[in-house]
Amino acid sequence: MQTLSQDLRYGARMLIKNPGFTSVAVLTLALGIGVNTAIFSLLNQVLLKTLPVEQPEQLVILSSLGDKQGSVWSDTNDGAESFSYPMYKDLRDRNEVFSGLLARFAVSLSIAFQGQTERAEGELISGNYFEVLGVKPALGRTLTQEDDTTPGAHTVAVLSHGFWSRRFGSDPNILNQTMAINGQVMTIVGVAQPGFTGVQVGQTPDIFIPITMKAQMTPNWDALSDRKDYWLNILGRLGSGMQPERAEVGIGPLYRSLLESELPLQGGLSPQDAERFLNRPLQTLDGSRGRQILQNDASEGLVTLMGMVGLVLLIACANLASLLITRGVARQKELAIRQALGASRWRIVRQLMVESFVLSLAGGLLGLLVAVWTLAGLLQWMPEGEGFGRLSADLDGRLLLFNFSLAVLTGIFFGLIPALKSTRTNLVSSLKDQGRGASAGLSHAGLRKGLVVAEMALTLVLLVVAGLFARSLYNLKNIDLGIRKERLIAFSIAPELNGYDPARAIDLFGRLQESIAVLPGVEAVSAAEVALFADNSMGSNITVEGYTPGESEDMHAFRNQVAPAYFATMGVLLVAGREFTIQDTAESQKVAVINESLARRYFGDSNPVGRRMMFGAGNRPLDIEIVGVVKDSKHASVRDEAERFVYTPYTQRSSIGQMTFYVRTVQQPDGLAATLRKEVARHDQSLPVTALRTLSEQIDESLYSDRLLALLSTAFGLLAVLLAAIGIYGVMSYTVTQRTQEIGIRMALGAQTADVLRMVVGQGLKLVVIGVGIGLAAAFGVTRLMSSLLYSVSTTDPPTFVAIALLLTLIALAACWFPARRAARVDPIEALRYE
């Protein structure tokens, strides 16, 4: 310990004596370690962190793959994690493998408290929700089984700790107070424990409500008794000693018997479809980290970013290793004297490694600040409502351990080889005055050049990845959406959450459209039930006149309910027939407008206008007349391919309670936002207006992950370029210094300035070409792993590869030019005196 203390003191003194070197080294490490820590924090919070509940490793998520006949409400593509409430109750009460099964469903809420109305996020939960998870109350009590027995009778709610702190200032007197939630007076009976934010990263409920209050919380949609309405998620806690595989086997017979009892409700299934329905397995997925919705969407991007910042750190370490090698050459005489006085080589290596560790730990500490600043900036830049409500910029134990471990590893990585190299010296020559000459420097030249080649190769990989992401984002931002996004502003209202029945809501929507249409600066206005580019969609199977589907053919089509003048307002081209008007009401003939994809699929080259269709299947009359055909357009996502789509008038929908209005303006629409809020308040002052933004802003927000990848990869690429340029500049400058005498002799023998420039630049160019060649080969392999993150750009896109290779070569040549120019200005007489 005493010798280690001596090494630390001596190492600190040596670093303080060289403030320039120390500052550059610590700052370089801080940037490399800091961005790695920041991205790891995101990856940890999204992908690795377990739920803050008791024994999260015992939790599983139930999933059942297979087609479902009926309504499916799901945030997964296959709907496998959606179950009916009767199925949940049967599984909960009759299974023998789980110690408890809970159910949950996310809902939007409108809350009125002390004269203020606002929107909040909620979760409908089974009475055993908190018990199964092992979540305790911070105040009052949690919901229990007694709060989950009679539909509509349990008007109690529990607040999340975050909502209680943020909205009510942690007021303990909130207990037993009442608030109107979706028009229903509810009593606050408790506050959940701090840190608990639900069972799904990205969904942060403010209020927990008994699931038996569903009819009151989702007006016009009950579904508690409907076995063909699949809407809730089920999580379970394994029984003592039970493994997931055994649980699946144990609950399999019960699940099949329940499916057999539901088979008559499925309609006229063919024998093959009936067998598939009965053979649907009930699977258990790992539930320790909650439902993996945001994780599935973000995992590939986060892992890619983690790999990129890892490459940045490798480049930084290579730069520092190069600096330490140079510093080791300058310290040859000092190290030789210490060896002559009796210090062993390994004693000196240890001393040099201690210095490296001091640098790396200092870089790691400063890197924590870089990480916090980077995280805070990223979280602030991320749009609201995109699933990042649970993420924070706080440093926890796992993050501190990662930062410390990374600092130690980088200390070993950039310090060990230079230390070994610096202590492998000829004692006699090093003690001579000429010991710092060419022989000492040239013995290290190969390693430094190898490090520069590695830096160039890694930098090229980073730049290629950044270039592909940038091209992908450009393609997304310039794709033909099928609509005119310019001068459109949107906002959403949900009067059903304020107690409106469908008739009152439809009346409000019509009056609001009329009043907005006459506002100054408004060119057109319309509305849709499902908002565009919000990653939401609605669909149904359809039956089409004159079309006989094949065995198990997919007859699904997406749908939306829209207001009159929708296509004119949105700039969607009408190619046949007409669009909806105010004459299309609940009392008139049901009508629909279809897109070209649906028309081609079911009507071929014939005119579909005047033909009939219906939603669903069966022997019912086809009650909807097709009155128009429109061009294909994007809906849920910019990345969507053309899908079969049906539009119907919202006035002909039996249950509707929310709409998103789209207002096209004469000039830029930003100035109209306050006017639109006032107009809604004029119709109903208690009605919250949400998602008020231009359509361009909505599209940009929907592309946040692509923008994040393009922005960060470009930033990391530029940082890598800077480090690589500094690296090659340092190598060439050091080479020129070591070859000063040689250059002087060449010039004395008649070499011209251009000859010296070619010699030095040519030497640098060799390193660049080798590095670029290796980097191109590596990039071809690496980019194949990120194909799903790109849009309309090949992972081996030739223009990107060529442009990046040329750009990096030019930057590297510029870095070589300055040492070469200095070499060309050498005075031969002075050079011949140089030692």
Side-chain angles (χ1 to χ4, degrees), residues 7-170:
D7 288 343
L8 286 171
R9 289 197 300 271
Y10 182 75
R13 283 201 307 272
M14 292 300 296
L15 294 175
I16 292 172
K17 284 177 63 178
N18 295 272
F21 165 80
T22 303
S23 299
V24 170
V26 171
L27 183 59
T28 300
L29 281 172
L31 290 173
I33 295 175
V35 294
N36 271 271
T37 304
I39 300 302
F40 175 78
S41 176
L42 290 179
L43 187 143
N44 174 52
Q45 293 184 73
V46 174
L47 302 182
L48 304 178
K49 209 169 188 178
T50 58
L51 293 177
V53 300
E54 289 183 1
Q55 297 179 295
E57 69 281 357
Q58 294 181 351
L59 294 178
V60 295
I61 301 163
L62 296 194
S63 172
S64 182
L65 285 168
D67 293 336
K68 296 178 171 66
Q69 299 291 323
S71 299
V72 180
W73 305 81
S74 176
D75 49 10
T76 61
N77 290 332
D78 52 24
E81 295 178 25
S82 298
F83 295 85
S84 69
Y85 185 64
M87 175 64 77
Y88 160 69
K89 290 198 298 182
D90 288 337
L91 291 173
R92 178 195 65 189
D93 298 337
R94 297 169 59 181
N95 90 88
E96 298 179 352
V97 298
F98 298 104
S99 61
L101 284 177
L102 66 87
R104 50 83 64 186
F105 179 71
V107 291
S108 293
L109 305 174
S110 177
I111 63 173
F113 183 74
Q114 295 180 347
Q116 292 186 348
T117 303
E118 61 188 282
R119 289 290 290 272
E121 297 305 316
E123 198 161 81
L124 299 176
I125 61 173
S126 55
N128 62 350
Y129 179 92
F130 292 107
E131 178 188 355
V132 172
L133 293 175
V135 174
K136 308 299 181 186
L139 186 71
R141 69 176 180 87
T142 58
L143 300 181
T144 66
Q145 292 280 29
E146 286 70 31
D147 300 311
D148 183 20
T149 56
T150 306
H154 305 284
T155 57
V156 291
V158 170
L159 305 181
S160 72
H161 195 276
F163 186 62
W164 175 56
S165 303
R166 182 176 67 253
R167 175 63 177 80
F168 301 102
S170 301

Side-chain angles (χ1 to χ4, degrees), residues 476-492:
L476 286 166
K477 290 178 72 68
N478 291 277
I479 193 173
D480 181 11
L481 300 174
I483 61 174
R484 290 188 293 117
K485 64 180 180 179
E486 297 78 19
R487 296 184 289 108
L488 268 178
I489 189 169
F491 67 89
S492 300

Side-chain angles (χ1 to χ4, degrees), residues 485-634:
K485 64 180 180 179
E486 297 78 19
R487 296 184 289 108
L488 268 178
I489 189 169
F491 67 89
S492 300
I493 57 173
E496 70 175 359
L497 302 184
N498 283 44
Y500 280 65
D501 60 27
R504 282 187 63 206
I506 289 173
D507 178 65
L508 172 65
F509 297 147
R511 288 187 289 110
L512 191 55
Q513 183 175 359
E514 290 177 3
S515 64
I516 292 175
V518 298
L519 291 175
V522 172
E523 181 181 306
V525 59
S526 190
E529 183 176 9
V530 182
L532 295 180
F533 309 115
D535 203 24
N536 292 323
S537 62
M538 179 186 299
S540 172
N541 287 340
I542 62 173
T543 301
V544 180
E545 179 185 349
Y547 185 87
T548 303
E551 179 76 20
S552 302
E553 180 178 349
D554 179 15
M555 294 294 291
H556 183 271
F558 290 95
R559 60 184 293 191
N560 203 352
Q561 290 63 237
V562 301
Y566 177 78
F567 304 110
T569 301
M570 304 305 295
V572 179
L573 183 62
L574 185 70
V575 296
R578 67 172 179 88
E579 71 167 298
F580 306 129
T581 67
I582 58 175
Q583 280 74 41
D584 295 313
T585 66
E587 290 74 31
S588 64
Q589 166 65 48
K590 289 185 178 181
V591 292
V593 172
I594 62 175
N595 71 345
E596 287 184 311
S597 289
L598 192 144
R600 283 192 300 269
R601 172 68 180 271
Y602 299 120
F603 299 101
D605 296 329
S606 62
N607 184 7
V609 175
R611 306 284 284 275
R612 290 182 172 264
M613 60 167 287
M614 72 174 183
F615 292 111
N619 297 319
R620 296 180 290 113
L622 301 181
D623 57 344
I624 302 174
E625 180 184 350
I626 298 172
V627 296
V629 180
V630 294
K631 284 281 190 181
D632 292 340
S633 60
K634 305 284 186 178

